[in-house]
Amino acid sequence: MRGKAKQERHHHYVAAFQLAGFTDDGTKAGTLYVIDRELSKEWASTPIEAAKERDYNAVEARPDQNVVERAFGQIESQAASVIHEIIRTRKIPDGPELHSFINYVALAAARVPWMRKVAAAVTNQFLKDHFRQVFNAPGAFEEISQEFAELGSKLDQKGFDEFREHLLGEEVQINMDQTTMVMTTFQAAAEFVPHLSQRRWMLAVLNDDAPDLICSDRPVSLVPPANIPLRKIPDLRDHDTLVILPLNKRMIALGTYLKAKPVTTTGRFEVACLNHYTANGARQVFHAGGVFAILSPDRQSIWDKSQFMASFQRKDDPG
């Protein structure tokens, strides 16, 4: 008797195998603490249950809406064994293993909610600019009113002006459909790969007395150059940036265009800096429940978890 395999409906945007490194026991079933900035709450979960969303990578493809999700799963599966070996040997591999690692870094950077928000904002701005040109072009009223007439509707000058103001206003957001968004994610990951491949990769292992690293729903972060005012949001193509990917609560991968130098010290201050960038722009932060250290937004002090949570606690929250 033949039957269709059940479609998985909940898709991770941060891999469970990576989140396992930030649990109390290093497993997918271990305890993972989730801090949600928008909800101003913290709760205990697991890597299997955290960082996922219903139909997050579903596309309009019949009979298999999970074709992209499965492709992502293959990249994860190949990378999981490579990253486990990196953690065991404390060495970045070369050859096919390095390629699998870079593919995963690209995927981890591209498929997260933060990146989708960026893509949506760029799309909205691009389309608003396009429609602004259409509405402001000579003869726009005549052309658009004719199109309305062909559809059986009448559009006078007042209606045209109101339609233009509404469409170009802030209250209207022009978004991509689900399938386009998912495929844009896939394309972005592919475009990230050559830039990540050009970087030199190294590991930083925490000192025994250093606090733990955290992970987030933006697990791949960029550290901009120190003491240089930012002219724009840095991206993976900028040669003066450092890519960071926490592998577990005690080890982090670093990618640079510069000649890689061994990291000799990763103490409390360095961990607080790394955690600052991992949490930057993220909605959810994941940690193992140990000692917490993160650099304050003004970079003048090191906060613990309670100070970090107080910084975004809602004013109407009695706690």
Side-chain angles (χ1 to χ4, degrees):
M1 184 174 175
R2 297 178 62 185
K4 293 182 179 179
K6 184 179 179 181
Q7 292 271 347
E8 175 58 50
R9 301 298 301 273
H10 289 90
H11 305 156
H12 281 88
Y13 43 81
V14 181
F17 85 82
Q18 184 181 354
L19 291 177
F22 300 87
T23 63
D24 56 343
D25 63 3
T27 70
K28 292 182 183 179
T31 301
L32 179 75
Y33 291 91
V34 182
I35 297 174
D36 191 297
R37 275 177 148 148
E38 290 187 11
L39 299 178
S40 296
K41 292 182 179 179
E42 180 184 31
W43 62 89
S45 185
T46 68
I48 295 174
E49 295 300 325
K52 65 181 183 179
E53 186 175 311
R54 184 177 175 86
D55 294 333
Y56 185 73
N57 292 317
V59 295
E60 294 179 358
R62 296 181 180 180
D64 185 9
Q65 294 184 345
N66 277 351
V67 60
V68 174
E69 170 67 8
R70 278 212 302 277
F72 289 168
Q74 291 176 356
I75 295 173
E76 283 186 18
S77 179
Q78 294 172 358
S81 59
V82 172
I83 291 178
H84 288 152
E85 189 67 8
I86 290 173
I87 293 172
R88 186 186 71 82
T89 62
R90 298 189 174 188
K91 291 175 57 179
I92 297 290
D94 52 20
E97 289 78 15
L98 177 59
H99 187 65
S100 293
F101 171 75
I102 288 172
N103 283 343
Y104 176 72
V105 178
L107 175 62
R111 71 171 170 183
V112 294
W114 180 87
M115 184 60 73
R116 290 195 177 181
K117 288 182 179 179
V118 171
V122 170
T123 299
N124 178 67
Q125 186 60 51
F126 174 82
L127 292 176
K128 287 286 184 71
D129 290 343
H130 168 72
F131 285 123
R132 190 172 289 108
Q133 292 178 7
V134 170
F135 279 109
N136 291 334
F141 169 68
E142 291 76 10
E143 182 175 346
I144 294 175
S145 61
Q146 178 62 34
E147 292 177 359
F148 270 72
E150 292 173 359
L151 295 173
S153 299
K154 184 178 180 179
L155 184 70
D156 58 16
Q157 184 66 53
K158 180 181 179 182
F160 172 82
D161 293 338
E162 291 175 347
F163 180 50
R164 176 179 58 192
E165 291 178 9
H166 175 71
L167 186 62
L168 300 180
E170 293 298 325
E171 68 275 8
V172 174
Q173 297 295 311
I174 307 173
N175 296 320
M176 288 184 278
D177 63 87
Q178 168 73 8
T179 298
T180 302
M181 180 66 79
V182 173
M183 297 312 297
T184 298
T185 297
F186 200 100
Q187 182 180 2
E191 292 176 355
F192 287 163
V193 168
H195 299 290
L196 292 168
S197 298
Q198 293 171 18
R199 291 179 180 263
R200 297 178 174 90
W201 291 90
M202 58 185 173
L203 290 176
V205 180
L206 273 55
N207 298 346
D208 292 341
D209 59 350
D212 286 343
L213 293 163
I214 62 173
C215 192
S216 75
D217 60 5
R218 191 185 173 193
V220 178
S221 305
L222 276 173
V223 180
N227 302 321
I228 298 177
L230 290 179
R231 298 180 300 275
K232 64 180 184 66
I233 297 176
D235 65 44
L236 290 169
R237 296 168 294 182
D238 294 334
H239 283 219
D240 52 2
T241 59
L242 177 71
V243 172
I244 64 174
L245 174 70
L247 301 180
N248 64 19
K249 59 188 177 182
R250 307 301 298 173
M251 190 178 301
I252 189 167
L254 312 171
T256 176
Y257 280 103
L258 304 176
K259 184 176 181 181
K261 297 180 180 179
V263 179
T264 57
T265 302
T266 313
R268 183 168 181 263
F269 176 75
E270 289 81 10
V271 169
C273 291
L274 292 167
N275 284 345
H276 166 80
Y277 287 107
T278 296
N280 188 32
R283 170 176 174 170
Q284 292 186 332
V285 167
F286 311 108
H287 68 102
V291 178
F292 204 109
I294 187 166
L295 204 62
S296 61
D298 61 7
R299 307 182 189 182
Q300 298 301 308
S301 59
I302 297 177
W303 284 351
D304 59 21
K305 185 183 74 174
S306 62
Q307 291 171 300
F308 173 66
M309 293 190 66
S311 70
F312 53 83
Q313 188 173 27
R314 294 176 301 181
K315 293 181 180 179
D316 59 347
D317 189 337

